Amino acid sequence: MSDSEEVKAKLDIVEVIREYVPVKAVGANFQAVCPFHNEKTPSFVISPDKQIWHCFGCGRGGDVLSFVMEKENMSFIEALRMLAAKAGVVLKHENPEKTSKRSRLLDIMEIAGKYYAHVLKSPIGTKARDYLLARGLSLETISDWRLGYSPDSWSSLYDFLRARPLIGKKYTDEEIMAAGLIIRKEQSGTGRNYYDRFRDRVMFPIWDVNNNIVAFTARINPEKEKTEKMGKYINSPQTEVYDKSRVLFALNKAKGAIKKAGYAIVVEGQMDAISCHNHGFDNVVASSGTALTTEQITLIKRFTNNLVLSFDMDDAGQMAADRGTKEALAQKMNLKVITLPYGKDPDECLKNNPDDFKQAILDASPMLQYYFSKVSADLDLKQLDNKLTVRDKMFAMIALVEDKPEQGYWLKKISEELDFSETDIREEFAKWQAAKRPELNRALAAEKSEPSLKPLIREELLSELFLALIIKFPEFISYSLDSLDPEQVYPDENVRFYKTLIIYYNKSASLDYNDFRQYLTENEEGLDNFLDKLILLGEKDFYAHTPEEAKSEIIKVVMELKRYFYQKKIKSLEKEIAAAEKTESPEAGGGEIMARLMSELKNSAEELKKLI
Ligand SMILES: [Zn+2]
């Protein structure tokens, strides 16, 4: 068994997909609203039995590996690694030449993470360790989060990576540099050409949601805070494995707790997140920056719709302008904001009294409420112009709320707070929206260009249904093959499949899914995937059909396909006849051609008559 076969055998495709999108049992199969294109009614079908999926809206389909590749934007090998970990499968020896560059960079980051963590435990790391303990972290937390220390040296990590023959041979300088761990000297004489990016710093690994270390945040040695010219924190650069806007710090650790709690708390700093987990708030992630990005919203939406933000948001206007906030509101996410009693950040608040943090979560106010108090904070709301300023700022936020009743709620609320009539506010809001809406829609449309399939023409649809029915109800195969000729299905792809099916059936005199699929894989490129699609189509449309119903369905579809076929044939014969009348002279043998065409036309007309 190959690695991928073993992984597929150990995992349930439904459970894997369920982590990304809600699925619903329908008959023996499962359906979902497609995670790859915009739709309201589910056309995404999963067969647990065959361990395959297909979307009849956008045409994507495949197995559990291709699902993860598509959803996570991963290469085959990355998806395999991730699913292998989930399935508890140890991958057999991987050929480094074949491993993708991304995977190789992840390996280097993993080794570097181990190295820094090891140094922190050694005597060289004493001061860094003391610093972390003084900040209230337990040794257990330090080890859990794999915190580390980069020695005060220009090349300790680089030397370490190079000195180990295995690693030295496996990874090149270019790769270590591409991982963001070393920097090339601008002018290199003899000797080393590279130096370590992180020196004498406390190292915080940053993981992606799949537990890969993708970057580090490095905090300055506290003793050097006054003298060091570089920043207090330096981060890994953007690399092939690290895109700051696409990572939510601690999501790998928090995802289970987020699902369980039904909400996620988003803090700004990594240290805040670690401190929260340290105090038992396991559903906390950090944005690693003030603004939440659209990508981060998409990430977290897989686990919950409810976000509680604990940001240091002095500038509420900025917060409202954040793309992530807009996106979250537009995606009907429920946003609340924590106001901490004292202490500027959660870390300080927790050190003061963890119960205060708990209370602050319970007291979190809805985003718009919070925004209202921020924009009106220093204004005298008895003044008309102040009222109008606040009203317009609130309109801009309320317009982001997709839910109509919720919009109504906030309009009523601001009419009360500002002492305007609710009717007037509603009217003004409608005008305001009418003026702004086209602008907003255009911006949204530009961001989302939806790939979508052309709707199938009826003949094509019928041909697919015909093939799907045969596959789902093989007891009617011989009847079906006798009733419809390959030329009577449409278009070429279906014809090719049908012909192959006929050849296969004539050889083996039965239709066994596994055997037929194997046959296709070996003989007809691409048709194995086409078979999967047909199977899921059959499961989707005919899962509840009794054999009798299936039989009558086959008869109906065959009749209709034949009708299409003869109608087309008659049309094309009529054209040929018209052309022949113009060009052929009866004396030159044209009479024979004409007679043949006329007889074909007569036959076709008779066949068509039988079908009506
Ligand atoms: Zn789709």
Side-chain angles (χ1 to χ4, degrees), residues 317-333:
Q318 180 54 45
M319 173 189 74
D322 287 348
R323 291 260 350 204
T325 306
K326 286 182 186 166
E327 187 70 27
L329 288 173
Q331 292 195 21
K332 296 197 178 181
M333 289 183 88

Side-chain angles (χ1 to χ4, degrees), residues 423-438:
T423 325
D424 290 349
I425 281 283
R426 283 178 181 277
E427 230 169 81
E428 278 308 306
F429 181 67
K431 278 191 222 159
W432 186 93
Q433 262 200 316
K436 296 274 177 184
R437 203 67 211 176

Side-chain angles (χ1 to χ4, degrees), residues 84-98:
K86 206 184 267 293
V89 170
V90 179
L91 296 179
K92 290 165 204 126
H93 181 67
E94 286 175 39
N95 180 351
E97 304 305 320
K98 281 190 187 158

Side-chain angles (χ1 to χ4, degrees), residues 305-337:
N305 246 334
N306 304 310
L307 297 188
V308 179
L309 309 179
S310 175
F311 283 11
D312 177 18
M313 284 185 289
D314 290 330
D315 189 348
Q318 180 54 45
M319 173 189 74
D322 287 348
R323 291 260 350 204
T325 306
K326 286 182 186 166
E327 187 70 27
L329 288 173
Q331 292 195 21
K332 296 197 178 181
M333 289 183 88
N334 184 7
L335 293 190
K336 284 186 170 180
V337 181

Side-chain angles (χ1 to χ4, degrees), residues 335-353:
L335 293 190
K336 284 186 170 180
V337 181
I338 292 180
T339 317
L340 293 175
Y342 36 70
K344 283 177 295 181
D345 51 42
D347 185 26
E348 283 173 67
C349 176
L350 285 166
K351 260 187 233 147
N352 231 313
N353 182 0

Side-chain angles (χ1 to χ4, degrees), residues 4 32 41 73 121 148 201 218 267 272 281 300 319 333 358 378 421 498 541 560 609:
S4 62
T41 49
N73 200 12
K121 288 189 195 116
R201 281 173 182 265
V267 298
D272 290 326
F281 299 93
I300 207 159
M319 173 189 74
M333 289 183 88
K358 207 175 211 169
D378 303 319
S421 112
Y498 190 36
D541 288 0
E560 201 173 335
K609 226 185 199 166

